Amino acid sequence: MQEAESFKAKGNLAVEKRDYQLALSYYSKAIALDPTNAACLSNRSFVYLHLNNVDDAIADAKKCVEIAPQWPKAHFRLGSALSAGGFFSAAVTSFSAALNLDGASKEVEAALSKALLLQYESYISPSLVDKPVSIRYIDSNRGRGVFASRGFSAHEVIFSEVPIASQRTLVESMQTGIQSCHHCMKTKLSKQVIGPFADLYDAIPQSTWVHCTHCAQDPLYAVQFCSRKCEDRAWSAYHQILCTGLQNGKPTAASSDHPLRPIFDLCRANGKINPPLILKMLAMVVQDMRRGTSFKDAWFRFGVFSASTESKERCYLDQEAIAALQEVLGPSDITSEVATIQNYRFLHGVIARNAQNLLPVSDLHLHLNSLPPDDQQTLVNKLDASLSPLEFSQSPFMNNLCISGTGLYAVANTMNHSCLPNVAVTCSTNSDEISVLALTRIKRGDELVISYIDEEGPFAQRKQQLHQFYSFECTCAKCLNEKRSSTY
Protein backbone atom coordinates (compact mmCIF):
# COMPACT_ATOMS: atom_id res chain seq x y z
CA MET A 1 0.00 0.00 0.00
CA GLN A 2 2.85 2.35 0.77
CA GLU A 3 4.32 1.75 -2.70
CA ALA A 4 0.92 2.48 -4.25
CA GLU A 5 0.75 5.79 -2.37
CA SER A 6 4.26 6.60 -3.65
CA PHE A 7 3.15 6.05 -7.27
CA LYS A 8 0.02 8.13 -6.58
CA ALA A 9 2.16 11.03 -5.28
CA LYS A 10 4.35 10.85 -8.38
CA GLY A 11 1.22 10.87 -10.53
CA ASN A 12 -0.02 13.97 -8.74
CA LEU A 13 3.27 15.75 -9.44
CA ALA A 14 3.03 14.80 -13.11
CA VAL A 15 -0.51 16.23 -13.26
CA GLU A 16 0.75 19.51 -11.78
CA LYS A 17 3.29 19.63 -14.64
CA ARG A 18 0.51 18.66 -17.10
CA ASP A 19 2.43 15.58 -18.14
CA TYR A 20 -0.69 13.46 -18.35
CA GLN A 21 0.92 10.50 -20.10
CA LEU A 22 3.44 10.14 -17.27
CA ALA A 23 0.66 10.63 -14.70
CA LEU A 24 -1.31 7.84 -16.36
CA SER A 25 1.66 5.49 -16.01
CA TYR A 26 2.06 6.23 -12.28
CA TYR A 27 -1.65 6.00 -11.45
CA SER A 28 -1.92 2.71 -13.35
CA LYS A 29 0.98 1.27 -11.31
CA ALA A 30 -0.70 2.43 -8.10
CA ILE A 31 -4.03 0.85 -9.09
CA ALA A 32 -2.29 -2.42 -10.02
CA LEU A 33 -1.00 -2.57 -6.46
CA ASP A 34 -4.22 -1.30 -4.84
CA PRO A 35 -7.27 -1.85 -7.12
CA THR A 36 -9.69 -0.41 -4.52
CA ASN A 37 -7.90 2.91 -4.16
CA ALA A 38 -10.75 5.30 -4.98
CA ALA A 39 -8.50 8.36 -5.09
CA CYS A 40 -6.22 6.77 -7.70
CA LEU A 41 -9.19 5.71 -9.82
CA SER A 42 -10.60 9.21 -9.59
CA ASN A 43 -7.28 10.76 -10.56
CA ARG A 44 -6.75 8.36 -13.45
CA SER A 45 -10.25 9.14 -14.72
CA PHE A 46 -9.27 12.82 -14.68
CA VAL A 47 -6.09 12.03 -16.63
CA TYR A 48 -7.94 9.89 -19.17
CA LEU A 49 -10.21 12.86 -19.89
CA HIS A 50 -7.21 15.08 -20.61
CA LEU A 51 -5.91 12.40 -22.95
CA ASN A 52 -9.32 12.31 -24.72
CA ASN A 53 -9.94 8.72 -23.65
CA VAL A 54 -13.56 9.12 -22.57
CA ASP A 55 -14.45 5.43 -22.36
CA ASP A 56 -11.69 4.62 -19.88
CA ALA A 57 -12.44 7.82 -17.96
CA ILE A 58 -16.03 6.65 -17.51
CA ALA A 59 -14.97 3.13 -16.57
CA ASP A 60 -12.57 4.36 -13.85
CA ALA A 61 -15.14 6.81 -12.48
CA LYS A 62 -17.79 4.08 -12.27
CA LYS A 63 -15.39 1.86 -10.31
CA CYS A 64 -14.64 4.79 -8.05
CA VAL A 65 -18.35 5.31 -7.32
CA GLU A 66 -18.78 1.59 -6.58
CA ILE A 67 -15.91 1.70 -4.10
CA ALA A 68 -16.77 5.05 -2.49
CA PRO A 69 -20.48 5.79 -3.06
CA GLN A 70 -20.54 8.44 -0.31
CA TRP A 71 -17.59 10.38 -1.72
CA PRO A 72 -18.83 13.47 -3.63
CA LYS A 73 -15.71 13.61 -5.81
CA ALA A 74 -16.39 10.11 -7.16
CA HIS A 75 -19.77 11.21 -8.50
CA PHE A 76 -18.25 14.46 -9.76
CA ARG A 77 -15.60 12.53 -11.70
CA LEU A 78 -18.26 10.29 -13.22
CA GLY A 79 -20.39 13.28 -14.16
CA SER A 80 -17.40 14.96 -15.83
CA ALA A 81 -16.56 11.85 -17.83
CA LEU A 82 -20.17 11.24 -18.87
CA SER A 83 -20.61 14.85 -19.91
CA ALA A 84 -17.44 14.68 -22.03
CA GLY A 85 -18.90 11.61 -23.73
CA GLY A 86 -22.15 13.39 -24.53
CA PHE A 87 -24.19 11.41 -21.98
CA PHE A 88 -25.71 14.54 -20.52
CA SER A 89 -28.71 12.95 -18.82
CA ALA A 90 -26.50 10.50 -16.93
CA ALA A 91 -24.06 13.33 -16.16
CA VAL A 92 -26.87 15.36 -14.59
CA THR A 93 -27.70 12.37 -12.37
CA SER A 94 -24.06 12.05 -11.23
CA PHE A 95 -23.59 15.77 -10.58
CA SER A 96 -26.88 15.82 -8.67
CA ALA A 97 -25.64 12.95 -6.50
CA ALA A 98 -22.39 14.84 -5.84
CA LEU A 99 -24.33 17.97 -4.91
CA ASN A 100 -26.57 16.00 -2.55
CA LEU A 101 -23.43 14.79 -0.75
CA ASP A 102 -21.70 18.20 -0.80
CA GLY A 103 -24.24 20.97 -1.20
CA ALA A 104 -21.64 23.69 -0.62
CA SER A 105 -19.50 22.87 -3.65
CA LYS A 106 -19.64 25.70 -6.20
CA GLU A 107 -17.60 23.57 -8.63
CA VAL A 108 -20.22 20.81 -8.60
CA GLU A 109 -23.06 23.33 -8.82
CA ALA A 110 -21.48 24.96 -11.87
CA ALA A 111 -20.86 21.56 -13.50
CA LEU A 112 -24.48 20.53 -12.91
CA SER A 113 -25.77 23.77 -14.44
CA LYS A 114 -23.56 23.27 -17.48
CA ALA A 115 -24.66 19.63 -17.88
CA LEU A 116 -28.32 20.65 -17.67
CA LEU A 117 -27.72 23.27 -20.37
CA LEU A 118 -25.89 20.76 -22.59
CA GLN A 119 -28.66 18.21 -22.03
CA TYR A 120 -31.24 20.77 -23.11
CA GLU A 121 -29.19 21.86 -26.13
CA SER A 122 -28.82 18.22 -27.19
CA TYR A 123 -32.58 17.79 -26.90
CA ILE A 124 -33.59 21.02 -28.61
CA SER A 125 -31.06 21.06 -31.47
CA PRO A 126 -33.19 18.90 -33.84
CA SER A 127 -36.11 21.29 -33.30
CA LEU A 128 -33.91 24.25 -34.33
CA VAL A 129 -32.90 22.77 -37.69
CA ASP A 130 -34.00 25.14 -40.49
CA LYS A 131 -35.17 27.72 -37.92
CA PRO A 132 -33.32 31.08 -37.92
CA VAL A 133 -33.39 31.28 -34.12
CA SER A 134 -31.34 30.11 -31.16
CA ILE A 135 -32.23 29.34 -27.56
CA ARG A 136 -30.06 30.70 -24.77
CA TYR A 137 -30.14 30.79 -21.00
CA ILE A 138 -30.77 34.35 -19.77
CA ASP A 139 -30.86 34.30 -15.98
CA SER A 140 -32.57 32.60 -13.06
CA ASN A 141 -35.64 34.85 -13.36
CA ARG A 142 -36.31 34.60 -17.10
CA GLY A 143 -34.75 31.19 -17.67
CA ARG A 144 -34.25 30.40 -21.35
CA GLY A 145 -35.25 32.64 -24.23
CA VAL A 146 -35.53 32.48 -28.02
CA PHE A 147 -33.33 34.85 -30.03
CA ALA A 148 -33.29 35.89 -33.70
CA SER A 149 -30.31 34.61 -35.70
CA ARG A 150 -30.90 37.25 -38.39
CA GLY A 151 -33.00 40.33 -38.99
CA PHE A 152 -36.71 40.20 -39.89
CA SER A 153 -39.16 42.70 -41.33
CA ALA A 154 -42.52 43.40 -39.73
CA HIS A 155 -45.15 40.76 -40.70
CA GLU A 156 -42.46 38.31 -41.82
CA VAL A 157 -42.83 34.68 -40.74
CA ILE A 158 -39.81 33.84 -38.59
CA PHE A 159 -40.38 30.10 -38.26
CA SER A 160 -43.07 27.42 -38.26
CA GLU A 161 -43.27 24.47 -35.90
CA VAL A 162 -45.22 21.26 -35.34
CA PRO A 163 -46.02 20.29 -31.74
CA ILE A 164 -44.55 17.74 -29.39
CA ALA A 165 -48.17 16.80 -28.70
CA SER A 166 -51.55 18.32 -29.53
CA GLN A 167 -55.19 17.60 -28.83
CA ARG A 168 -58.44 18.73 -30.37
CA THR A 169 -61.21 19.88 -28.03
CA LEU A 170 -63.39 16.77 -27.92
CA VAL A 171 -66.72 18.50 -27.39
CA GLU A 172 -66.59 20.25 -30.74
CA SER A 173 -66.64 17.08 -32.81
CA MET A 174 -70.10 16.44 -31.39
CA GLN A 175 -71.35 20.01 -31.81
CA THR A 176 -70.13 20.96 -35.29
CA GLY A 177 -69.79 17.63 -37.04
CA ILE A 178 -66.42 18.73 -38.44
CA GLN A 179 -64.20 15.68 -38.66
CA SER A 180 -60.44 15.95 -38.16
CA CYS A 181 -57.20 14.01 -38.18
CA HIS A 182 -56.58 12.47 -34.78
CA HIS A 183 -52.87 13.28 -35.05
CA CYS A 184 -52.36 16.64 -36.81
CA MET A 185 -55.87 18.17 -36.40
CA LYS A 186 -56.36 18.67 -40.15
CA THR A 187 -60.10 19.09 -40.79
CA LYS A 188 -62.12 17.14 -43.33
CA LEU A 189 -64.74 19.13 -45.23
CA SER A 190 -67.67 17.63 -47.11
CA LYS A 191 -70.00 19.11 -49.72
CA GLN A 192 -72.75 19.10 -47.13
CA VAL A 193 -70.65 21.05 -44.63
CA ILE A 194 -69.55 23.79 -47.03
CA GLY A 195 -73.15 24.19 -48.29
CA PRO A 196 -73.36 27.09 -50.77
CA PHE A 197 -69.76 26.46 -51.80
CA ALA A 198 -70.25 22.77 -52.58
CA ASP A 199 -69.27 23.41 -56.21
CA LEU A 200 -65.77 24.29 -54.91
CA TYR A 201 -65.33 20.90 -53.30
CA ASP A 202 -63.38 19.44 -56.22
CA ALA A 203 -61.13 22.51 -56.34
CA ILE A 204 -60.05 21.99 -52.72
CA PRO A 205 -57.15 19.50 -52.32
CA GLN A 206 -58.37 16.26 -50.75
CA SER A 207 -56.43 13.93 -48.47
CA THR A 208 -56.55 10.15 -48.46
CA TRP A 209 -58.29 9.60 -45.14
CA VAL A 210 -57.87 6.34 -43.24
CA HIS A 211 -59.43 4.91 -40.08
CA CYS A 212 -57.69 3.07 -37.28
CA THR A 213 -58.48 -0.58 -38.00
CA HIS A 214 -58.82 -1.41 -34.29
CA CYS A 215 -61.40 1.18 -33.25
CA ALA A 216 -63.07 1.64 -36.65
CA GLN A 217 -66.24 -0.14 -35.51
CA ASP A 218 -66.82 2.33 -32.68
CA PRO A 219 -69.26 4.94 -34.02
CA LEU A 220 -68.32 7.55 -31.40
CA TYR A 221 -64.64 6.90 -30.80
CA ALA A 222 -63.34 5.62 -34.12
CA VAL A 223 -60.39 7.87 -34.96
CA GLN A 224 -59.31 8.78 -38.46
CA PHE A 225 -56.17 10.18 -39.98
CA CYS A 226 -55.55 12.43 -42.98
CA SER A 227 -52.79 10.13 -44.26
CA ARG A 228 -50.99 6.88 -43.60
CA LYS A 229 -48.05 8.95 -42.37
CA CYS A 230 -50.17 10.50 -39.60
CA GLU A 231 -51.63 7.09 -38.74
CA ASP A 232 -48.14 5.56 -38.47
CA ARG A 233 -46.82 8.44 -36.38
CA ALA A 234 -49.79 8.31 -34.00
CA TRP A 235 -49.61 4.53 -33.69
CA SER A 236 -45.89 4.61 -32.97
CA ALA A 237 -46.11 7.50 -30.49
CA TYR A 238 -49.27 6.86 -28.44
CA HIS A 239 -52.37 5.48 -30.19
CA GLN A 240 -51.62 1.79 -29.75
CA ILE A 241 -51.90 2.48 -26.00
CA LEU A 242 -54.94 4.80 -26.06
CA CYS A 243 -56.94 3.10 -28.84
CA THR A 244 -60.35 2.14 -27.44
CA GLY A 245 -60.30 -0.97 -29.62
CA LEU A 246 -57.34 -2.34 -27.66
CA GLN A 247 -56.44 -2.92 -24.06
CA ASN A 248 -52.90 -3.82 -23.04
CA GLY A 249 -52.15 -4.44 -26.72
CA LYS A 250 -55.03 -6.88 -27.23
CA PRO A 251 -58.42 -6.35 -28.95
CA THR A 252 -61.23 -5.65 -26.49
CA ALA A 253 -64.51 -7.52 -26.59
CA ALA A 254 -66.54 -4.31 -26.46
CA SER A 255 -65.09 -0.82 -26.78
CA SER A 256 -67.92 0.50 -24.60
CA ASP A 257 -66.22 -1.31 -21.69
CA HIS A 258 -62.82 0.24 -22.35
CA PRO A 259 -61.40 1.95 -19.22
CA LEU A 260 -60.71 5.21 -21.06
CA ARG A 261 -64.23 5.61 -22.42
CA PRO A 262 -65.69 7.23 -19.26
CA ILE A 263 -62.79 9.71 -19.24
CA PHE A 264 -63.38 10.71 -22.85
CA ASP A 265 -67.14 10.87 -22.28
CA LEU A 266 -66.76 13.28 -19.38
CA CYS A 267 -64.33 15.44 -21.36
CA ARG A 268 -66.83 15.65 -24.23
CA ALA A 269 -69.67 16.52 -21.91
CA ASN A 270 -67.72 19.22 -20.06
CA GLY A 271 -65.53 20.62 -22.82
CA LYS A 272 -62.28 19.58 -21.11
CA ILE A 273 -59.14 19.14 -23.17
CA ASN A 274 -56.37 18.48 -20.64
CA PRO A 275 -57.13 14.85 -19.65
CA PRO A 276 -56.90 13.38 -23.19
CA LEU A 277 -53.80 15.48 -23.93
CA ILE A 278 -52.11 14.41 -20.68
CA LEU A 279 -52.95 10.77 -21.40
CA LYS A 280 -51.42 11.18 -24.85
CA MET A 281 -48.23 12.65 -23.34
CA LEU A 282 -47.96 9.87 -20.76
CA ALA A 283 -48.50 7.27 -23.49
CA MET A 284 -45.61 8.81 -25.44
CA VAL A 285 -43.34 8.31 -22.44
CA VAL A 286 -44.50 4.70 -22.05
CA GLN A 287 -43.83 3.97 -25.72
CA ASP A 288 -40.30 5.36 -25.50
CA MET A 289 -39.59 3.33 -22.37
CA ARG A 290 -40.87 0.16 -24.04
CA ARG A 291 -38.23 0.77 -26.70
CA GLY A 292 -35.51 0.86 -24.05
CA THR A 293 -35.33 4.57 -23.23
CA SER A 294 -34.97 5.44 -19.55
CA PHE A 295 -37.81 7.27 -17.84
CA LYS A 296 -35.59 10.30 -17.29
CA ASP A 297 -34.77 10.61 -21.00
CA ALA A 298 -38.31 9.84 -22.15
CA TRP A 299 -39.73 12.40 -19.73
CA PHE A 300 -37.19 15.11 -20.59
CA ARG A 301 -39.21 16.64 -23.47
CA PHE A 302 -41.92 17.56 -20.95
CA GLY A 303 -39.72 18.04 -17.90
CA VAL A 304 -37.85 20.96 -19.52
CA PHE A 305 -40.99 23.07 -19.21
CA SER A 306 -41.84 24.84 -15.99
CA ALA A 307 -45.16 23.89 -14.44
CA SER A 308 -47.67 26.18 -12.80
CA THR A 309 -48.56 25.87 -9.13
CA GLU A 310 -51.50 23.73 -10.26
CA SER A 311 -49.04 20.85 -10.69
CA LYS A 312 -49.25 20.12 -6.96
CA GLU A 313 -53.02 20.42 -6.66
CA ARG A 314 -55.96 18.14 -7.40
CA CYS A 315 -56.96 18.68 -11.02
CA TYR A 316 -59.84 17.52 -13.20
CA LEU A 317 -60.11 13.71 -13.48
CA ASP A 318 -56.53 13.13 -12.35
CA GLN A 319 -57.25 10.11 -10.16
CA GLU A 320 -59.81 8.67 -12.57
CA ALA A 321 -57.57 9.13 -15.63
CA ILE A 322 -54.52 7.58 -13.93
CA ALA A 323 -56.56 4.62 -12.70
CA ALA A 324 -57.87 4.07 -16.25
CA LEU A 325 -54.37 4.31 -17.75
CA GLN A 326 -53.01 1.86 -15.18
CA GLU A 327 -55.75 -0.59 -16.13
CA VAL A 328 -55.00 -0.17 -19.84
CA LEU A 329 -51.25 -0.65 -19.37
CA GLY A 330 -51.45 -3.49 -16.90
CA PRO A 331 -49.04 -3.98 -13.99
CA SER A 332 -45.37 -3.38 -14.81
CA ASP A 333 -42.38 -1.34 -13.70
CA ILE A 334 -43.10 1.13 -16.51
CA THR A 335 -46.70 1.54 -15.38
CA SER A 336 -45.57 2.21 -11.80
CA GLU A 337 -43.05 4.83 -12.92
CA VAL A 338 -45.17 6.67 -15.50
CA ALA A 339 -48.83 6.37 -14.52
CA THR A 340 -48.75 8.41 -11.31
CA ILE A 341 -50.83 11.25 -9.92
CA GLN A 342 -47.67 13.35 -9.56
CA ASN A 343 -46.79 13.00 -13.26
CA TYR A 344 -50.39 13.73 -14.30
CA ARG A 345 -50.54 16.90 -12.20
CA PHE A 346 -47.13 18.05 -13.40
CA LEU A 347 -48.25 17.76 -17.02
CA HIS A 348 -51.46 19.58 -16.15
CA GLY A 349 -49.30 22.40 -14.82
CA VAL A 350 -47.07 22.34 -17.92
CA ILE A 351 -50.10 22.72 -20.17
CA ALA A 352 -51.54 25.51 -18.01
CA ARG A 353 -48.34 27.56 -18.12
CA ASN A 354 -46.90 26.75 -21.56
CA ALA A 355 -49.33 25.25 -24.08
CA GLN A 356 -50.60 27.12 -27.12
CA ASN A 357 -54.29 27.48 -27.96
CA LEU A 358 -54.91 26.37 -31.54
CA LEU A 359 -57.46 27.56 -34.10
CA PRO A 360 -56.40 26.04 -37.43
CA VAL A 361 -58.01 27.44 -40.56
CA SER A 362 -60.04 25.22 -42.91
CA ASP A 363 -59.20 24.29 -46.49
CA LEU A 364 -61.96 26.66 -47.64
CA HIS A 365 -60.16 29.52 -45.88
CA LEU A 366 -56.94 28.57 -47.65
CA HIS A 367 -58.66 28.24 -51.03
CA LEU A 368 -60.36 31.63 -50.67
CA ASN A 369 -57.10 33.27 -49.64
CA SER A 370 -55.30 31.82 -52.68
CA LEU A 371 -57.63 33.56 -55.16
CA PRO A 372 -57.23 37.02 -56.68
CA PRO A 373 -59.19 39.74 -54.80
CA ASP A 374 -61.96 40.00 -57.41
CA ASP A 375 -62.53 36.23 -57.43
CA GLN A 376 -62.61 36.26 -53.63
CA GLN A 377 -65.39 38.85 -53.62
CA THR A 378 -67.35 36.92 -56.25
CA LEU A 379 -67.33 33.85 -54.00
CA VAL A 380 -68.25 35.85 -50.91
CA ASN A 381 -71.21 37.35 -52.73
CA LYS A 382 -72.78 33.90 -52.90
CA LEU A 383 -73.44 34.09 -49.18
CA ASP A 384 -73.45 37.78 -48.29
CA ALA A 385 -72.61 40.55 -50.74
CA SER A 386 -72.33 43.05 -47.87
CA LEU A 387 -69.16 41.39 -46.56
CA SER A 388 -65.59 41.86 -47.70
CA PRO A 389 -63.43 38.72 -48.12
CA LEU A 390 -61.68 39.50 -44.81
CA GLU A 391 -64.99 39.95 -42.98
CA PHE A 392 -66.34 36.78 -44.55
CA SER A 393 -63.27 34.76 -43.45
CA GLN A 394 -64.16 35.70 -39.86
CA SER A 395 -67.91 35.18 -40.23
CA PRO A 396 -69.89 32.60 -38.21
CA PHE A 397 -70.22 30.42 -41.33
CA MET A 398 -66.44 30.20 -41.79
CA ASN A 399 -65.74 29.92 -38.06
CA ASN A 400 -68.02 26.88 -37.93
CA LEU A 401 -65.70 25.13 -40.38
CA CYS A 402 -62.85 25.35 -37.87
CA ILE A 403 -61.96 23.43 -34.73
CA SER A 404 -59.93 24.37 -31.68
CA GLY A 405 -57.34 22.59 -29.62
CA THR A 406 -54.13 22.85 -27.62
CA GLY A 407 -50.52 22.04 -28.45
CA LEU A 408 -47.14 22.01 -26.73
CA TYR A 409 -44.19 23.30 -28.78
CA ALA A 410 -40.49 22.84 -28.05
CA VAL A 411 -39.34 26.20 -29.44
CA ALA A 412 -42.39 28.49 -29.53
CA ASN A 413 -43.38 27.66 -25.97
CA THR A 414 -39.88 28.65 -24.82
CA MET A 415 -40.50 32.29 -25.77
CA ASN A 416 -40.78 34.65 -22.82
CA HIS A 417 -43.52 37.19 -22.09
CA SER A 418 -43.53 40.92 -22.65
CA CYS A 419 -46.38 43.43 -22.60
CA LEU A 420 -44.55 44.89 -25.62
CA PRO A 421 -44.40 41.74 -27.78
CA ASN A 422 -42.42 41.74 -31.00
CA VAL A 423 -43.89 38.46 -32.32
CA ALA A 424 -47.24 36.68 -32.38
CA VAL A 425 -48.19 33.03 -32.86
CA THR A 426 -50.63 32.30 -35.68
CA CYS A 427 -52.41 29.24 -37.09
CA SER A 428 -52.25 29.72 -40.85
CA THR A 429 -52.55 26.11 -42.02
CA ASN A 430 -55.15 23.37 -41.77
CA SER A 431 -53.18 21.50 -39.09
CA ASP A 432 -51.61 21.91 -35.67
CA GLU A 433 -48.56 23.61 -37.20
CA ILE A 434 -48.08 27.16 -35.94
CA SER A 435 -46.12 30.11 -37.33
CA VAL A 436 -44.30 32.82 -35.38
CA LEU A 437 -44.86 36.18 -37.06
CA ALA A 438 -42.80 39.36 -36.53
CA LEU A 439 -44.97 42.25 -35.33
CA THR A 440 -42.19 44.81 -35.68
CA ARG A 441 -38.76 45.03 -37.25
CA ILE A 442 -36.48 42.59 -35.44
CA LYS A 443 -32.70 42.78 -35.43
CA ARG A 444 -30.26 39.90 -35.22
CA GLY A 445 -29.76 38.96 -31.57
CA ASP A 446 -33.09 40.39 -30.39
CA GLU A 447 -35.08 38.20 -28.03
CA LEU A 448 -38.42 37.06 -29.47
CA VAL A 449 -41.16 37.79 -26.94
CA ILE A 450 -44.90 37.18 -27.02
CA SER A 451 -47.69 38.29 -24.73
CA TYR A 452 -49.17 35.62 -22.47
CA ILE A 453 -52.17 37.84 -21.68
CA ASP A 454 -54.08 40.80 -23.13
CA GLU A 455 -51.26 43.34 -23.18
CA GLU A 456 -53.74 46.17 -23.79
CA GLY A 457 -55.32 45.71 -20.36
CA PRO A 458 -54.61 48.11 -17.48
CA PHE A 459 -51.35 47.68 -15.56
CA ALA A 460 -52.98 46.37 -12.37
CA GLN A 461 -54.95 43.76 -14.31
CA ARG A 462 -51.89 42.56 -16.24
CA LYS A 463 -49.85 42.33 -13.05
CA GLN A 464 -52.56 40.33 -11.30
CA GLN A 465 -53.02 37.91 -14.21
CA LEU A 466 -49.29 37.26 -14.63
CA HIS A 467 -48.90 36.63 -10.91
CA GLN A 468 -51.97 34.37 -10.72
CA PHE A 469 -51.34 32.24 -13.79
CA TYR A 470 -47.56 32.44 -14.33
CA SER A 471 -46.11 33.43 -10.93
CA PHE A 472 -43.89 36.27 -12.11
CA GLU A 473 -43.87 40.06 -12.43
CA CYS A 474 -43.24 41.55 -15.86
CA THR A 475 -40.31 43.98 -16.07
CA CYS A 476 -40.77 45.13 -19.67
CA ALA A 477 -40.42 48.87 -20.43
CA LYS A 478 -44.18 49.31 -20.58
CA CYS A 479 -44.73 47.79 -17.13
CA LEU A 480 -41.83 49.68 -15.54
CA ASN A 481 -43.12 53.00 -16.92
CA GLU A 482 -46.68 52.32 -15.79
CA LYS A 483 -45.45 51.14 -12.38
CA ARG A 484 -43.53 54.40 -11.90
CA SER A 485 -46.56 56.43 -13.01
CA SER A 486 -48.84 54.61 -10.56
CA THR A 487 -46.62 55.54 -7.60
CA TYR A 488 -47.00 59.27 -8.13
Side-chain angles (χ1 to χ4, degrees):
M1 295 298 179
Q2 187 174 357
E3 189 177 3
E5 287 298 317
S6 175
F7 283 129
K8 173 189 166 188
K10 291 178 180 179
N12 292 346
L13 287 173
V15 168
E16 289 179 12
K17 296 177 182 179
R18 298 186 180 182
D19 189 342
Y20 297 115
Q21 199 64 53
L22 180 60
L24 174 62
S25 174
Y26 283 130
Y27 288 140
S28 296
K29 290 177 180 178
I31 292 168
L33 293 169
D34 184 6
T36 62
N37 190 316
C40 286
L41 286 165
S42 171
N43 291 353
R44 192 171 70 171
S45 175
F46 173 82
V47 167
Y48 273 135
L49 274 188
H50 279 80
L51 295 173
N52 295 317
N53 188 341
V54 174
D55 290 342
D56 284 338
I58 293 174
D60 271 2
K62 284 183 176 179
K63 290 177 186 176
C64 187
V65 169
E66 290 174 5
I67 294 167
Q70 299 303 311
W71 188 31
K73 196 169 187 178
H75 295 279
F76 176 76
R77 282 281 182 257
L78 181 55
S80 300
L82 289 167
S83 187
F87 305 105
F88 303 121
S89 177
V92 167
T93 300
S94 293
F95 287 135
S96 297
L99 201 61
N100 287 335
L101 293 167
D102 182 10
S105 173
K106 296 298 182 183
E107 183 182 23
V108 175
E109 190 175 332
L112 175 59
S113 296
K114 184 177 180 181
L116 284 167
L117 181 60
L118 290 170
Q119 182 186 21
Y120 178 76
E121 289 177 349
S122 175
Y123 156 75
I124 201 65
S125 57
S127 298
L128 293 175
V129 172
D130 298 328
K131 292 183 178 66
V133 298
S134 64
I135 294 179
R136 301 202 300 268
Y137 178 78
I138 302 172
D139 55 43
S140 58
N141 291 322
R142 291 177 65 81
R144 292 179 293 268
V146 181
F147 295 83
S149 299
R150 65 172 179 83
F152 296 92
S153 303
H155 311 302
E156 185 178 355
V157 173
I158 299 175
F159 68 88
S160 297
E161 184 178 13
V162 296
I164 303 170
S166 67
Q167 176 64 47
R168 176 186 177 175
T169 307
L170 290 180
V171 68
E172 289 189 343
S173 61
M174 299 294 289
Q175 290 178 336
T176 67
I178 302 296
Q179 299 178 8
S180 63
C181 177
H182 185 63
H183 185 66
C184 75
M185 290 178 56
K186 177 181 176 66
T187 52
K188 179 181 182 181
L189 299 182
S190 64
K191 290 182 178 180
Q192 181 180 4
V193 167
I194 60 178
F197 301 98
D199 58 321
L200 294 177
Y201 182 78
D202 292 334
I204 298 174
Q206 302 298 316
S207 298
T208 304
W209 291 77
V210 294
H211 284 85
C212 170
T213 56
H214 299 285
C215 54
Q217 305 306 314
D218 189 332
L220 187 59
Y221 286 93
V223 302
Q224 59 182 322
F225 303 94
C226 66
S227 65
R228 288 291 180 190
K229 181 182 290 187
C230 272
E231 181 187 27
D232 291 343
R233 287 175 175 172
W235 184 259
S236 174
Y238 55 83
H239 187 58
Q240 62 181 287
I241 292 174
L242 303 180
C243 176
T244 57
L246 297 172
Q247 186 172 342
N248 201 17
K250 300 177 182 178
T252 56
S255 58
S256 60
D257 298 327
H258 194 278
L260 293 175
R261 281 290 295 268
I263 306 300
F264 296 150
D265 286 339
L266 285 169
C267 290
R268 284 184 186 277
N270 295 286
K272 300 293 185 179
I273 196 170
N274 281 11
L277 179 54
I278 294 170
L279 288 169
K280 188 178 288 187
M281 294 158 79
L282 291 172
M284 292 168 68
V285 175
V286 171
Q287 283 293 85
D288 281 353
M289 292 181 70
R290 286 177 173 177
R291 297 186 186 103
T293 304
S294 69
F295 171 76
K296 191 169 186 177
D297 288 344
W299 184 257
F300 189 77
R301 77 191 100 179
F302 304 123
V304 295
F305 292 102
S306 59
S308 71
T309 53
E310 298 175 42
S311 63
K312 296 181 181 179
E313 301 171 359
R314 173 83 163 92
C315 51
Y316 185 72
L317 291 181
D318 54 1
Q319 295 176 353
E320 296 86 347
I322 286 298
L325 183 60
Q326 289 172 344
E327 186 176 349
V328 168
L329 295 175
S332 71
D333 291 341
I334 292 177
T335 300
S336 300
E337 195 163 15
V338 178
T340 69
I341 292 293
Q342 292 76 16
N343 289 343
Y344 185 99
R345 291 178 181 174
F346 177 83
L347 292 178
H348 179 84
V350 166
I351 294 168
R353 173 165 283 190
N354 301 278
Q356 179 71 40
N357 292 330
L358 301 175
L359 289 167
V361 296
S362 72
D363 282 335
L364 186 56
H365 284 84
L366 297 174
H367 179 72
L368 182 67
N369 193 53
S370 70
L371 299 175
D374 289 345
D375 290 346
Q376 290 184 23
Q377 189 62 60
T378 299
L379 284 177
V380 171
N381 291 344
K382 286 186 174 185
L383 193 66
D384 191 340
S386 67
L387 298 177
S388 69
L390 178 59
E391 292 170 330
F392 176 69
S393 67
Q394 300 169 348
S395 67
F397 174 83
M398 293 295 278
N399 286 340
N400 285 336
L401 300 180
C402 301
I403 61 172
S404 67
T406 297
L408 188 67
Y409 297 80
V411 180
N413 291 148
T414 306
M415 293 189 294
N416 285 312
H417 164 84
S418 172
C419 295
L420 290 171
N422 58 7
V423 298
V425 175
T426 65
C427 296
S428 55
T429 66
N430 183 7
S431 73
D432 55 12
E433 181 181 62
I434 59 171
S435 295
V436 174
L437 183 74
L439 297 177
T440 62
R441 181 174 173 271
I442 293 173
K443 295 180 294 184
R444 179 181 180 181
D446 284 353
E447 184 182 4
L448 306 183
V449 288
I450 59 174
S451 180
Y452 296 174
I453 57 173
D454 179 8
E455 70 273 16
E456 299 302 325
F459 171 68
Q461 175 182 303
R462 301 198 313 270
K463 181 179 178 180
Q464 186 272 332
Q465 289 177 338
L466 289 171
H467 177 74
Q468 178 181 353
F469 297 112
Y470 301 98
S471 304
F472 71 83
E473 182 174 340
C474 182
T475 57
C476 72
K478 179 178 180 178
C479 284
L480 292 178
N481 288 336
E482 293 181 7
K483 183 178 182 179
R484 281 193 292 266
S485 299
S486 66
T487 61
Y488 294 125

